[in-house]
Amino acid sequence: MDNEIVLCAANAYEQKFYLNPEFDSLPESIKEELQIMCVLYTEDVGGVLMLVFDEEGNLELKVDHEESDFFFDEIGSVLKIRELQKTKQELFESLELFFRVFYLGEEIGDGE
């Protein structure tokens, strides 16, 4: 967990969105899309959604919720995450490539 870098997060309890300042160089349209996606997710199912890069540059969607939150929709959360992974696949792949090039210093090959 120490090697993870949070890209962004939305919190239904505090009604806040966080974008890691290290990613300010992302285009405004991408930052807005991330904010809309995360906030809509938390409005729909509750809890906290975090987009996190692991040490290899893979983007993971992590969900958490308070133990006392009986309104958190666990089934809806799983379904919504699957939907996001399917509908936002191109965005997520682009963010992974961005992270690998600018943060991990990987070279882009001809095949990418």
Side-chain angles (χ1 to χ4, degrees), residues 83-94 96:
E83 177 188 337
L84 289 174
Q85 289 171 329
K86 190 175 176 182
T87 60
K88 302 289 185 185
Q89 180 179 359
E90 189 175 322
L91 171 66
F92 295 158
E93 288 173 354
S94 297
E96 287 177 344

Side-chain angles (χ1 to χ4, degrees), residues 41-53:
Y41 170 90
T42 57
E43 287 291 315
D44 192 23
V45 299
V48 178
L49 173 66
M50 293 185 298
L51 276 66
V52 179
F53 290 105

Side-chain angles (χ1 to χ4, degrees), residues 45-88:
V45 299
V48 178
L49 173 66
M50 293 185 298
L51 276 66
V52 179
F53 290 105
D54 67 14
E55 65 236 2
E56 295 165 6
N58 300 308
L59 187 63
E60 299 176 23
L61 283 73
K62 295 193 170 194
V63 178
D64 196 14
H65 69 282
E66 294 177 357
E67 289 291 324
S68 61
D69 184 359
F70 299 109
F71 294 107
F72 179 75
D73 183 359
E74 290 190 41
I75 295 171
S77 173
V78 172
L79 295 174
K80 191 79 169 167
I81 293 294
R82 285 187 189 149
E83 177 188 337
L84 289 174
Q85 289 171 329
K86 190 175 176 182
T87 60
K88 302 289 185 185

